[in-house]
Amino acid sequence: MLNLRQLEILRAVVQYRTTVGAAERLGMSQPSVSNTIRHIETVLGFPLFERVSNRLVPTEEALILLEDAEPLFLLRDAVNQRAADLRRGRIGRIRIASTAELSEAVLPRVIADYAGQYPKVQISLETRPLDSVLQVVENGLADVAFVIAAYERQALDYETLVELRAVCLCPADDPLARLEVVTPRDLIGRQMVGPQVSNRIGLMIADSFRASGHVYSPSVETRFMNAAARIVREGCGVTLIDELSAHTVLRPGLVVRAYAPALSFELSAATSRTKTTSRQTRRLITAFAERVQAQIAEVRAEAERDAS
């Protein structure tokens, strides 16, 4: 029978005891307030105020009605506050999917910083193989995917954040460490750990070998490049991986060398083409991009210092 606006006008008149005061409070004209009160009384079938010395004194019925309506005002205020927080990006939800390399090398710091700045934003992270990562964004189960060497999918938009160079990670006492640039020929006959040929990055490496007249055939195959890096760190063979994964595990006793012919992998943020990206998600993509670009700049500066 009554809407929230009518109840709000009634509450203002009860609070200020005059229609003039209520009108000023609500930004309405005094006649509009008076007409609304008369309309409410007509609808309800009983008076809401008594006039005493030019003041409007609420009846017991009016007070009971407002008491019952108070939870509605509290809910309205809570919804308005929620909307304001959403508008300012203070609350919300971000569902992230990523391949293992980025879940290890970049996302922990990005998520920690973001959660510290926006503690009311709920963040979830799923680490999956490339195909699965792209699929969860397509299906609406994730808001953004961070991936390396993705492939075209009709339902996804890609934003390239940085190009990762392929590098060779090897022990410091390995003959490869004495080279400035490692080529496919230098890796023939070596115990190689690396991405399996059945995945996209493995195929890109295999194509690079094939263009040089050689066959890429790792002794130990991995799905993710960070796993290959960790195996080499444990003392098994050498690997050809992205520079970010290599430097994540770098420690005394290991070195990184450039690879030729030049090979690079796009690091991208994938979002749904059919769904608007939320401001929280867009803000996190920006934070991720800034973080990974800073890391790569640091990695390359360090490589230049080592080479000089």
Side-chain angles (χ1 to χ4, degrees), residues 26-228:
L26 298 172
M28 299 173 60
S29 68
Q30 185 275 333
S32 294
V33 172
S34 297
N35 290 337
T36 299
I37 295 300
R38 282 195 294 270
H39 174 75
I40 295 173
E41 289 177 329
T42 300
V43 170
L44 295 177
F46 54 80
L48 296 172
F49 296 93
E50 296 177 357
R51 184 171 291 279
V52 178
S53 300
N54 293 324
R55 306 286 287 181
L56 295 175
V57 178
T59 63
E60 184 67 20
E61 290 84 356
L63 295 176
I64 292 172
L65 189 62
L66 281 181
E67 182 179 352
D68 289 343
E70 191 60 29
L72 297 177
F73 293 117
L74 294 175
L75 180 61
R76 187 272 313 272
D77 293 343
V79 170
N80 286 341
Q81 182 60 53
R82 189 95 172 158
D85 287 342
L86 285 169
R87 185 172 62 251
R88 298 183 181 99
R90 293 175 180 169
I91 61 174
R93 177 184 66 180
I94 306 174
R95 299 166 300 173
I96 307 166
S98 172
T99 52
E101 298 91 347
L102 304 176
S103 288
E104 178 179 5
V106 186
L107 279 167
R109 174 49 54 194
V110 172
I111 291 174
D113 290 346
Y114 197 93
Q117 190 172 2
Y118 303 99
K120 292 185 178 180
V121 175
Q122 181 185 6
I123 302 173
S124 64
L125 171 62
E126 287 275 354
T127 302
R128 297 167 174 256
L130 177 61
D131 287 343
S132 180
V133 162
L134 299 178
Q135 190 172 42
V136 293
V137 177
E138 280 186 332
N139 295 341
L141 300 177
D143 302 304
V144 60
F146 295 106
V147 293
I148 298 174
Y151 51 89
E152 186 66 27
R153 292 177 77 118
Q154 282 191 334
L156 297 180
D157 282 327
Y158 292 103
E159 179 182 348
T160 300
L161 306 180
V162 71
E163 293 273 350
L164 300 177
R165 297 170 184 168
V167 296
C168 177
L169 176 70
C170 65
D173 58 0
D174 190 284
L176 294 175
R178 296 194 291 268
L179 302 176
E180 288 187 10
V181 178
V182 174
T183 67
R185 181 178 179 179
D186 299 320
L187 294 168
I188 298 305
R190 301 301 310 274
Q191 184 182 37
M192 279 197 68
V193 182
Q196 54 198 205
V197 181
S198 60
N199 71 30
R200 182 166 170 77
I201 291 173
L203 285 172
M204 293 173 71
I205 295 173
D207 286 344
S208 174
F209 270 61
R210 191 177 302 112
S212 300
H214 300 287
V215 177
Y216 171 66
S217 181
S219 305
V220 179
E221 291 188 321
T222 64
R223 181 183 294 274
F224 300 111
M225 289 184 284
N226 61 324

